[in-house]
Amino acid sequence: MVELKGGKTAPVFLDDLDNYDPRRSSAAGFNRLINLPRQYKNGAIPLIPRYKAQCQHKWAVKDSQCKLPLILGRPDPKIVSTVAAFCEHCRCHLDLSIDFRGGGTSPCPSEESPLHHFRHQPEISRPHYKPDNSSKADGSSDWQDLNWFQCSSIDCSAKLKIQIKPPRLRPEWVELLTDKDLIKSRAEEQIIKDPARFEGHAVPLPSDVLSNLRTYILNALRDGTRRTIQANNKKWLLCLGDPCSELLEYIGFVREVGENWLVPEPDVSQTPPISNPVNTRLEDVEKELLALLLKRPDDERRAIKVQYGLNAATRDLSKVLSTGDYKQNPSARTATSQDPEHPLGAKLDYHDDLIKFSYERQLVSDPENTPYYLEALQGIAEGRKSEELQTLVAIEASSGKISTSDIREAYKLLDLETESEFLDEDFIIGSFQSRAADAPRQDSELRRALQIVGQDRSSQKIQSMASKTVTNYEQALSWLGATPDMDDEFVVAMYKVKEEETPAEEATARQAVSLVAQHRNSAALKQWLDTGVLGEVDMDVGQAYNRLQIDDRSISDDFILSAFQLFHQEAPSQVDDLRSALRAIAKHRKSHTLLSFLDSGMATSEYPLGEWPVGLANIGNTCYLNSLLQFYFTMKPLRELVLEFDEYKMDLTVDNLVQKMVGSRKISRQEVQRAQSFVYGLQKLFQSMITSASFHVAPELELARLTLVTQPLEAALRRRSTTSGNRPSLGEINGRPVLGPMPPPIPEAVVDNAKSQAKLAKNPMNGDGNGGRIGADTSSEQTLLGNDPAEVPADQEMLDPGSEELQQQQQQILEDKENLPPSKMVSNRPATPDPNLQPLAESSPSRINEQHRAAETNHDLPHPHSPNKSEKAVIAPPPNRPPPFPPRPQTEEQKQAIVEEVQLGAQQDVTEVISNVLFQLECAIKATAFDPSGEQIDLIKQLFFGKQKSYTSNAQGVLRMKEQFFSNLIVDVASGPKDIYEALDGAFDEQEVEVEGSLRPQYTTITHLPPVLKVMVQRVQYDQKKASAFKSINHLGLKETIYMDRYMDSEDDDLIQRRKESWEWKRQLRQLETRKADLMQTEAMLKLKQLEMNMPDALTATKEYLDQLSEDDTFEVPAILRHGVENAAAEARDELSSIDARIKDLSSSISSQFVDLQNLPYRLQSVFIHVGSATFGHYWIYIRDFEKNMWRKYNDESVSAVTDVSQIFDQDPSDRPPTPYFLVYVKDELKDQLVNPVCRDVLPQQQPSPPPQQPQYDTSDAVMNDAGNDYPMTVTDAVEGGQGTTVAIGDWYKADNAGKQMEW
């Protein structure tokens, strides 16, 4: 049974008001005013829980606050009728009002609706809440209870408001007025001060105190004159005086300067119902004082000699609710408020007509619980022996309605447990079939029970089995065992299974297929029914959207294509089914984009051909590659470098090869040749993207291979394919088979000496085995494929240059060097993740694999520019093998091998792919300068690389500094949602690192910012408990402009102090959040996951439970325990409130700490998006066009304008939201020179021109001679010139001051 949402008739509300105590309803989990009784237990109505402390209200009217209808028992549609009352026992206040101004045509009571039937309105109600302005200082209430109800009759607009408030007089004030000891103490204090003046005056009784205070208030309400009570008034001093100041001031008394008191001053001109707060407060207090007087002993009340009394509110409440003299059952006994409340929202003394009315209203209000209300009707009909009600029950049963008793009996007959977790459709049907086989004579009875169970569970499959017939689409699918997302072929297959299992039901099976065909309007199924041959299957459009898991049919074609591509990558074997779904959607939407994609594999554009960027075809899980290529194309300096590559291309001279150092390691001839082939391929693609007369072009497979497959991975694949022996031989060279395209021969140049090259093979930086980095690392290709570089001992002895041993070592070093990965650079550390979520191992797709290793200031790597160049190169002997075979056309096997390499390369870390592109670009082009370590400086480094400096203190307090290149900033969102500044802070804030066996503080700054700033979002994490990787989908709040001033290296004392303050605030914030988490969930609550309760609430519930136990005479709970738990709850709640306030203050301080630093603005230019899991998914990219002031979405073949930027910046609430993986910011002042997304010069259709001349591998042996200092200088020559002269590398890049570039 689902939650009961029925209502109650008006007379029931009168009873509920007498028994409803908001202070107790919440603790019991049942709110008598708004809830109906819970489900029957074995057919008996459950009693509503009561407590000894729960008040049985006796409402007394507050006349001046009421406004009653003029006509007895009839509603007045022009006014809001109100009854104001308070309870004589607990002194709670009740405000009940009913409003008919909604425009109903026939308000209740009427002939059709003899009583109001009210339904609760939870969306505007506030049961037992604490007002925002409540405070003990002004005496306002600690809680209020507000509930709204609406009459369920369509012709009645009555809205009922019931508000209950606690007493005006707080318990401590009542104690001041009624406790004899307190009264005696303050009276005797006055008498002792002036015995002569108070001679003959007795200590007042509580009734005297109450009566005197009430008299002051009554006098004020009668004439409104503000009288003065003298400070020496004996009656005032003995009864009230200074100890009652707080109470008096709350009531409205005012203390004058001379210790005199002024009585309250109400507005006596106001006519009922009064609404002035002063008037209502005075009347409320006066009524409460009168109620307290009525409770005093008779001897006290007689001494006052005042006649007083309270008027009951029952008559006025009945009048406002139009209950009148409702029609009663003559044979029924009189109902009392102690009777169990009935599920029909009716009283037990109702006439049968009113019972029927209540039942019908419940069905209209809450049709989902019809079985429950029908059982309630059955219970009354049987109890009364009412023929009229029994007839109604029979009519309801004949119309197909079932009761909860019917449901219980049906489950019992089928031997099923209603609460069993194993109950699914197949289990229930299996149980039925088993019972039917054992008792065939009970078949009809069992089928009736099965029908009831199916109706109860809303299962078409079960009902179809029970009825042996299929009459609609849902029953047809259930009978066949199919679901709406299954296509027509599966429907036919299920028909054949049914036909084989039960041949006697062939007619029913064909009927089921016919119903499916009609519902889907499927020509394929209709043809099968006529001919037995299934026609071309068109998927139902609803089935198609379900297949692609699309709920919102208004989304754009781009998102539909993204969903299709995501599922295609996840399950390539289901491509036919996915294409059927996409075709059904395309036809239904009449989408030219989707239909063209289905026909050609590409989506055409609706934008002008010559004014819009082209898309890139997905040639096999290359969506990330396409996004990356689109980004690089929009970088104007990089695009010009590629298009004018011959001007930047490095000549393969011996001197150039000797000097070539990228990523802190030497680069071989073969690596340069491979890189130049890559740039030529990229040039061809860029030219096509500029001139193509199509809306999309396809990257060549070879370009994809060179982009995605790094040099070490390529070498490993070549070795693997060589050893597999399953590729055709292309001949022999020197007796060795050629199993694939022959690579160029390795030049047999001899290096300076064996020892220096052994060091280089071991460590490209400084030979310390760690590359000068924080923590050793190896490439993911090595981890996956075991491709470790050869290691040569650092202390190897110098061998004779002509010895055979030296020649073998030199040859081995060169061969292994080709397999060395581009060295990894130390990037910013990410923010500390959740303790349970550790970053993946180095082989994981999320691990950063930078192509450029950190360039340190001090290292011992020999370089041609260093002064020590005493040793000469050894000239290698001529080659002893023939030249390679001329190029041959690729066979199908060779093409397939390339495809396999691309597919494997597509699985590489996205950062590795980015780094591989930058690495190859640097390898391909000539240097413009070299830094002191010998590292090549070029256009790529100046565009994309910055420098950062880390500061670490050791145990002796010595500050160590280390400066290094970075190409990406790494941010982490594993611990929760963050904005971009919070994420970046994690890469630069002070953290603890292990230094010499102890944890020491370390922080990082930026010494040089690149024009193009890239930010990698670390999303793939490792769950140690589950031993599996997962993707964090926490939201990263992006900003269109960020300011990097706060992260720059600086000696400014103010900036340094701000950083330290921010770090301290964040430390405090982490401590507070940890403490708050402890208060919000205890260890016991974590075990009881269904108990959603924080510690203060848990302690409060414990206190209330102990109070209930203490009310039971058989169990005694020590008062100290109850008070201790109550105090602990209050302390925990206060602590939580204090923590929340402090967290808010700290968060505000942190977010505003650097807002005024805005000298280094960077604008968001690209956002790489991923949707999917840690192991699969789909990428696309958003790119900003600053000139057009717009964003575009590049999704493989499709390039579309972004009309709603919320898809980039706002959080997606779905289960698998698209998330940013990689961000690109560009320097604001250079954005127009750096970014140019649209570069089109469409050529007319013509025969394709031959590709640009590719460089031929030089098969001659290279001689590695020492080089001089004649490299071209285009930046400040800090090595030789020393004059600080600056030469611009481009209009977009100039030195900030003399010598700045060479500090790199």
Side-chain angles (χ1 to χ4, degrees):
M1 185 189 72
V2 298
E3 179 187 0
L4 294 174
K5 299 178 182 178
K8 300 179 183 181
T9 53
V12 174
F13 266 98
L14 289 180
D15 288 347
D16 285 343
L17 286 174
D18 291 342
N19 293 276
Y20 175 57
D21 191 340
R23 299 167 299 178
R24 293 293 176 182
S25 295
S26 298
F30 180 86
N31 189 314
R32 175 151 193 163
L33 190 64
I34 64 178
N35 294 138
L36 288 168
R38 294 188 178 92
Q39 192 173 12
Y40 280 93
K41 297 296 182 182
N42 299 320
I45 303 174
L47 290 174
I48 298 173
R50 282 187 62 84
Y51 301 93
K52 292 181 180 179
Q54 184 171 324
C55 182
Q56 180 72 32
H57 297 303
K58 182 179 180 182
W59 299 112
V61 70
K62 298 185 290 185
D63 297 298
S64 61
Q65 299 179 39
C66 295
K67 187 172 184 63
L68 304 177
L70 299 178
I71 306 173
L72 182 61
R74 296 300 301 167
D76 188 339
K78 298 179 181 179
I79 67 169
V80 177
S81 299
T82 303
V83 174
F86 83 105
C87 177
E88 297 182 33
H89 301 320
C90 67
R91 295 179 290 106
C92 284
H93 294 262
L94 166 68
D95 290 327
L96 183 148
S97 62
I98 188 165
D99 185 356
F100 291 91
R101 295 176 298 177
T105 58
S106 180
C108 303
S110 64
E111 185 175 352
E112 293 78 13
S113 300
L115 294 171
H116 285 297
H117 179 265
F118 290 111
R119 288 188 64 198
H120 187 237
Q121 304 291 296
E123 62 277 5
I124 57 176
S125 298
R126 299 183 67 186
H128 202 79
Y129 73 100
K130 185 173 182 178
D132 296 336
N133 62 348
S134 66
S135 68
K136 292 187 177 180
D138 65 1
S140 57
S141 61
D142 293 330
W143 60 266
Q144 292 186 22
D145 189 84
L146 174 63
N147 287 285
W148 287 86
F149 302 86
Q150 175 74 54
C151 183
S152 66
S153 173
I154 193 172
D155 296 323
C156 181
S157 61
K159 291 182 179 179
L160 177 66
K161 173 187 173 185
I162 298 178
Q163 186 170 21
I164 298 179
K165 303 176 185 178
R168 293 279 191 173
L169 298 178
R170 300 211 308 263
E172 58 267 31
W173 293 343
V174 174
E175 190 175 13
L176 280 173
L177 300 176
T178 60
D179 187 281
K180 291 184 177 181
D181 292 335
L182 291 177
I183 296 172
K184 181 180 179 181
S185 174
R186 62 175 180 262
E188 288 179 346
E189 181 180 353
Q190 295 297 327
I191 294 172
I192 292 173
K193 287 181 180 180
D194 194 351
R197 186 164 181 272
F198 288 98
E199 185 177 359
H201 285 78
V203 173
L205 295 171
S207 57
D208 297 321
V209 177
L210 294 169
S211 179
N212 287 338
L213 179 57
R214 178 170 175 263
T215 300
Y216 286 123
I217 295 174
L218 284 174
N219 291 335
L221 286 171
R222 288 191 182 107
D223 55 23
T225 302
R226 189 149 215 180
R227 297 185 176 87
T228 300
I229 302 174
Q230 297 298 321
N232 59 356
N233 185 300
K234 290 184 284 186
K235 184 185 294 186
W236 176 267
L237 292 174
L238 292 176
C239 292
L240 300 168
D242 289 343
C244 299
S245 296
E246 183 185 12
L247 165 61
L248 295 170
E249 289 173 352
Y250 165 67
I251 294 174
F253 290 84
V254 177
R255 187 197 296 268
E256 289 188 313
V257 178
E259 298 299 319
N260 295 335
W261 286 84
L262 296 176
V263 299
E265 188 177 12
D267 182 5
V268 296
S269 64
Q270 197 173 31
T271 58
I274 60 173
S275 57
N276 184 297
V278 175
N279 292 46
T280 55
R281 181 168 64 248
L282 288 174
E283 183 181 18
D284 289 351
V285 173
E286 184 271 326
K287 295 296 184 186
E288 290 187 34
L289 292 173
L290 183 54
L292 292 172
L293 273 168
L294 290 172
K295 291 184 177 181
R296 300 311 303 169
D298 292 342
D299 56 341
E300 286 189 30
R301 288 189 285 119
R302 283 195 296 268
I304 300 174
K305 299 180 181 179
V306 175
Q307 298 296 324
Y308 42 75
L310 292 168
N311 298 321
T314 305
R315 182 174 178 273
D316 291 340
L317 291 171
S318 177
K319 182 178 180 181
V320 169
L321 293 176
S322 303
T323 59
D325 295 326
Y326 60 83
K327 194 175 180 181
Q328 295 181 323
N329 180 24
S331 61
R333 60 178 175 83
T334 302
T336 70
S337 59
Q338 299 298 325
D339 289 324
E341 189 170 338
H342 202 275
L344 295 182
K347 296 186 67 172
L348 296 182
D349 64 350
Y350 277 5
H351 190 275
D352 288 352
D353 292 341
L354 290 181
I355 295 293
K356 290 171 59 178
F357 166 76
S358 301
Y359 169 74
E360 291 166 356
R361 287 287 88 202
Q362 296 294 60
L363 263 56
V364 170
S365 303
D366 187 17
E368 289 183 281
N369 285 301
T370 295
Y372 183 46
Y373 301 127
L374 181 55
E375 181 172 11
L377 180 65
Q378 287 175 337
I380 295 179
E382 293 171 3
R384 291 186 177 184
K385 309 297 182 183
S386 169
E387 182 177 345
E388 184 176 359
L389 294 181
Q390 289 175 341
T391 301
L392 176 60
V393 170
I395 293 173
E396 294 291 85
S398 65
S399 66
K401 293 185 177 68
I402 57 175
S403 69
T404 50
S405 60
D406 297 330
I407 295 171
R408 287 194 299 272
E409 290 300 321
Y411 277 93
K412 183 178 180 181
L413 184 60
L414 294 174
D415 198 20
L416 299 172
E417 294 290 339
T418 55
E419 304 298 331
S420 173
E421 60 181 338
F422 301 106
L423 280 187
D424 57 18
E425 291 177 328
D426 293 335
F427 185 89
I428 292 171
I429 291 174
S431 179
F432 159 75
Q433 291 172 336
S434 175
R435 294 277 291 160
D438 293 340
R441 293 185 179 181
Q442 290 184 294
D443 182 76
S444 60
E445 186 179 357
L446 291 169
R447 285 191 181 276
R448 169 59 181 161
L450 187 64
Q451 179 71 34
I452 292 173
V453 172
Q455 190 173 343
D456 174 53
R457 305 176 75 90
S458 300
S459 169
Q460 291 288 341
K461 184 175 183 179
I462 294 176
Q463 293 183 67
S464 177
M465 174 61 69
S467 63
K468 284 187 175 182
T469 60
V470 287
T471 59
N472 56 46
Y473 175 66
E474 289 76 16
Q475 287 183 350
L477 289 176
S478 296
W479 195 91
L480 291 170
T483 57
D485 60 339
M486 294 177 178
D487 60 21
D488 293 348
E489 289 179 311
F490 191 88
V491 171
V492 173
M494 293 307 297
Y495 165 84
K496 293 177 179 178
V497 171
K498 289 288 187 180
E499 185 183 32
E500 291 177 2
E501 290 180 350
T502 54
E505 296 184 348
E506 178 186 2
T508 305
R510 289 188 67 83
Q511 171 67 10
V513 175
S514 177
L515 288 168
V516 173
Q518 292 174 17
H519 181 83
R520 295 182 177 180
N521 194 23
S522 169
L525 287 179
K526 291 177 181 177
Q527 180 179 329
W528 179 84
L529 288 167
D530 294 337
T531 66
V533 178
L534 186 66
E536 184 179 354
V537 176
D538 279 336
M539 188 178 293
D540 174 71
V541 67
Q543 178 187 3
Y545 279 109
N546 287 336
R547 180 65 182 86
L548 296 180
Q549 295 187 14
I550 297 173
D551 297 326
D552 182 5
R553 300 191 183 187
S554 64
I555 62 174
S556 66
D557 290 347
D558 285 341
F559 276 100
I560 293 174
L561 278 177
S562 298
F564 169 83
Q565 291 163 339
L566 176 63
F567 284 107
H568 183 201
Q569 291 181 21
E570 184 178 357
S573 62
Q574 300 178 16
V575 62
D576 292 338
D577 189 43
L578 292 169
R579 286 181 62 84
S580 296
L582 187 62
R583 186 172 297 279
I585 295 173
K587 288 182 178 180
H588 182 261
R589 296 167 71 102
K590 299 179 181 179
S591 168
H592 176 74
T593 300
L594 298 181
L595 289 172
S596 67
F597 175 84
L598 287 163
D599 293 339
S600 64
M602 302 178 184
T604 61
S605 174
E606 58 184 288
Y607 304 98
L609 183 64
E611 303 174 9
W612 202 253
V614 299
L616 296 177
N618 191 321
I619 58 176
N621 292 344
T622 57
C623 54
Y624 180 78
L625 170 67
N626 289 343
S627 299
L628 186 63
L629 293 174
Q630 291 282 17
F631 158 65
Y632 284 132
F633 182 81
T634 65
M635 290 287 102
K636 186 178 179 181
L638 177 60
R639 185 175 67 218
E640 292 176 350
L641 179 152
V642 172
L643 294 173
E644 301 171 8
F645 176 53
D646 289 338
E647 298 181 13
Y648 296 88
K649 177 182 174 183
M650 190 192 88
D651 294 331
L652 296 176
T653 66
V654 174
D655 287 346
N656 287 344
L657 290 172
V658 169
Q659 298 176 44
K660 191 77 170 179
M661 181 182 290
V662 177
S664 301
R665 74 170 176 85
K666 302 294 290 182
I667 305 301
S668 70
R669 173 189 294 269
Q670 185 174 354
E671 287 177 301
V672 175
Q673 291 173 324
R674 184 184 193 273
Q676 292 180 347
S677 295
F678 161 73
V679 179
Y680 275 120
L682 194 60
Q683 182 186 78
K684 183 177 179 181
L685 175 66
F686 281 6
Q687 289 172 344
S688 179
M689 293 171 70
I690 295 171
T691 62
S692 174
S694 173
F695 285 104
H696 31 68
V697 298
E700 291 187 349
L701 201 60
E702 177 65 10
L703 175 62
R705 186 184 72 83
L706 291 173
T707 306
L708 297 172
V709 182
T710 59
Q711 177 81 5
L713 179 59
E714 183 181 51
L717 292 171
R718 187 180 299 121
R719 288 196 300 273
R720 187 175 65 182
S721 64
T722 302
T723 57
S724 66
N726 59 357
R727 296 176 62 183
S729 173
L730 302 179
E732 295 185 354
I733 295 180
N734 288 350
R736 307 177 79 176
V738 179
L739 299 177
M742 184 70 182
I746 300 175
E748 298 182 3
V750 182
V751 295
D752 288 346
N753 59 68
K755 184 174 182 179
S756 64
Q757 289 299 332
K759 285 187 177 182
L760 180 62
K762 182 178 181 182
N763 187 337
M765 287 194 62
N766 57 10
D768 62 2
N770 195 25
R773 297 174 297 147
I774 303 175
D777 202 357
T778 56
S779 74
S780 62
E781 293 90 340
Q782 290 174 317
T783 306
L784 292 170
L785 301 171
N787 183 26
D788 294 331
E791 299 223 358
V792 181
D795 57 353
Q796 180 176 348
E797 295 294 330
M798 182 69 70
L799 300 176
D800 180 64
S803 69
E804 180 179 355
E805 183 179 358
L806 175 59
Q807 293 181 7
Q808 292 176 352
Q809 288 186 1
Q810 292 168 345
Q811 182 66 24
Q812 180 64 39
I813 290 169
L814 289 174
E815 290 177 356
D816 284 344
K817 186 168 73 68
E818 300 303 327
N819 299 327
L820 285 173
S823 57
K824 299 181 186 179
M825 166 205 157
V826 178
S827 297
N828 277 48
R829 63 196 186 284
T832 305
D834 188 290
N836 293 326
L837 309 178
Q838 299 296 330
L840 292 180
E842 295 169 0
S843 61
S844 107
S846 66
R847 185 65 182 229
I848 300 302
N849 180 23
E850 295 293 348
Q851 297 282 3
H852 294 267
R853 190 181 302 277
E856 301 214 7
T857 305
N858 299 317
H859 52 75
D860 58 0
L861 182 67
H863 189 265
H865 298 311
S866 64
N868 185 14
K869 301 194 290 281
S870 59
E871 299 190 36
K872 297 183 179 180
V874 180
I875 300 176
N880 57 1
R881 56 185 179 183
F885 290 105
R888 299 177 176 83
Q890 290 185 336
T891 65
E892 290 300 321
E893 290 83 356
Q894 292 168 332
K895 292 179 181 179
Q896 180 60 31
I898 295 177
V899 172
E900 292 175 358
E901 287 188 20
V902 172
Q903 291 176 346
L904 184 58
Q907 302 172 15
Q908 299 305 298
D909 189 321
V910 295
T911 315
E912 291 177 347
V913 177
I914 294 174
S915 300
N916 185 43
V917 171
L918 297 181
F919 174 75
Q920 292 195 89
L921 287 168
E922 286 199 88
C923 288
I925 63 177
K926 56 191 174 186
T928 57
F930 297 90
D931 74 357
S933 70
E935 179 74 15
Q936 170 175 309
I937 304 299
D938 49 48
L939 180 62
I940 300 303
K941 239 183 199 66
Q942 293 159 358
L943 264 178
F944 297 107
F945 285 80
K947 293 198 75 177
Q948 62 186 19
K949 184 182 290 185
S950 62
Y951 294 84
T952 309
S953 298
N954 62 15
Q956 290 74 36
V958 179
L959 187 67
R960 294 164 50 185
M961 295 176 290
K962 180 178 179 181
E963 191 172 29
Q964 56 194 16
F965 284 114
F966 73 89
S967 64
N968 301 325
L969 297 178
I970 307 171
V971 301
D972 176 35
V973 293
S975 59
K978 299 177 181 178
D979 69 19
I980 184 64
Y981 282 124
E982 289 180 283
L984 286 171
D985 288 350
F988 295 97
D989 283 349
E990 185 178 70
Q991 300 184 27
E992 289 188 334
V993 296
E994 186 172 349
V995 178
E996 300 172 353
S998 62
L999 293 177
R1000 304 302 302 168
Q1002 181 187 83
Y1003 68 94
T1004 305
T1005 62
I1006 297 175
T1007 55
H1008 172 78
L1009 276 168
V1012 181
L1013 181 66
K1014 299 178 294 176
V1015 180
M1016 169 64 68
V1017 184
Q1018 179 78 25
R1019 288 200 177 274
V1020 178
Q1021 303 291 327
Y1022 188 78
D1023 190 331
Q1024 291 185 333
K1025 293 181 179 179
K1026 298 181 179 179
S1028 63
F1030 72 97
K1031 172 189 171 184
S1032 168
I1033 60 172
N1034 288 325
H1035 178 61
L1036 177 62
L1038 305 181
K1039 295 182 182 296
E1040 291 212 39
T1041 303
I1042 59 174
Y1043 299 92
M1044 299 299 293
D1045 309 60
R1046 65 186 70 182
Y1047 305 116
M1048 299 303 295
D1049 194 65
S1050 173
E1051 296 180 358
D1052 181 24
D1053 293 337
D1054 177 64
L1055 179 58
I1056 294 173
Q1057 182 60 31
R1058 289 198 204 188
R1059 285 177 181 155
K1060 291 180 179 179
E1061 288 177 351
S1062 179
W1063 296 341
E1064 174 60 23
W1065 292 338
K1066 290 175 183 177
R1067 184 190 65 79
Q1068 295 178 22
L1069 189 61
R1070 288 192 295 270
Q1071 293 176 346
L1072 289 170
E1073 289 172 342
T1074 301
R1075 177 56 182 163
K1076 180 177 179 179
D1078 293 340
L1079 290 174
M1080 293 302 292
Q1081 264 196 330
T1082 65
E1083 184 177 351
M1085 295 171 194
L1086 291 174
K1087 295 178 180 178
L1088 299 173
K1089 294 182 180 179
Q1090 70 276 16
L1091 184 61
E1092 298 180 0
M1093 189 180 294
N1094 59 33
M1095 184 179 290
D1097 290 343
L1099 290 169
T1100 300
T1102 303
K1103 165 63 167 53
E1104 292 171 348
Y1105 177 69
L1106 293 175
D1107 287 344
Q1108 296 171 26
L1109 291 178
S1110 67
E1111 295 169 5
D1112 189 346
D1113 297 337
T1114 61
F1115 194 88
E1116 182 178 355
V1117 178
I1120 190 173
L1121 174 60
R1122 291 187 286 115
H1123 293 320
V1125 173
E1126 184 177 22
N1127 292 336
E1131 291 173 1
R1133 186 167 284 106
D1134 290 343
E1135 184 180 2
L1136 259 182
S1137 178
S1138 174
I1139 288 174
D1140 287 337
R1142 182 57 178 157
I1143 287 176
K1144 183 178 180 181
D1145 291 342
L1146 285 174
S1147 300
S1148 176
S1149 299
I1150 293 169
S1151 63
S1152 61
Q1153 180 74 337
F1154 303 100
V1155 292
D1156 59 317
L1157 303 181
Q1158 299 185 359
N1159 295 321
L1160 293 173
Y1162 273 70
R1163 299 288 296 277
L1164 184 62
Q1165 186 264 341
S1166 294
V1167 182
F1168 289 69
I1169 297 292
H1170 176 267
V1171 61
S1173 69
T1175 56
F1176 69 89
H1178 179 63
Y1179 283 95
W1180 65 84
I1181 185 174
Y1182 296 104
I1183 297 179
R1184 178 72 184 271
D1185 188 332
F1186 294 106
E1187 181 181 356
K1188 302 282 189 182
N1189 191 27
M1190 66 179 298
W1191 285 89
R1192 294 185 183 90
K1193 178 182 179 181
Y1194 297 71
N1195 187 3
D1196 287 340
E1197 299 87 352
S1198 172
V1199 181
S1200 58
V1202 176
T1203 57
D1204 181 9
V1205 295
S1206 65
Q1207 60 186 273
I1208 305 175
F1209 295 95
D1210 291 355
Q1211 184 171 4
D1212 189 315
S1214 61
D1215 293 336
R1216 284 198 299 186
T1219 52
Y1221 244 84
F1222 197 78
L1223 314 172
V1224 179
Y1225 283 87
V1226 296
K1227 201 168 187 178
D1228 182 59
E1229 64 188 63
L1230 301 175
K1231 64 180 183 299
D1232 295 330
Q1233 291 81 24
L1234 291 170
V1235 181
N1236 177 227
V1238 182
C1239 181
R1240 297 283 277 138
D1241 186 12
V1242 179
L1243 297 179
Q1245 295 283 357
Q1246 57 183 1
Q1247 293 296 325
S1249 59
Q1253 183 67 32
Q1254 297 288 337
Q1256 298 296 321
Y1257 287 162
D1258 186 358
T1259 59
S1260 63
D1261 296 327
V1263 180
M1264 307 292 284
N1265 294 324
D1266 286 349
N1269 292 332
D1270 55 350
Y1271 58 86
M1273 285 295 291
T1274 56
V1275 298
T1276 304
D1277 190 348
V1279 178
E1280 297 289 342
Q1283 302 300 317
T1285 304
T1286 300
V1287 180
I1289 296 177
D1291 291 340
W1292 57 270
Y1293 183 84
K1294 295 182 183 293
D1296 294 333
N1297 50 66
K1300 185 65 176 178
Q1301 287 111 314
M1302 288 311 300
E1303 291 178 8
W1304 278 20

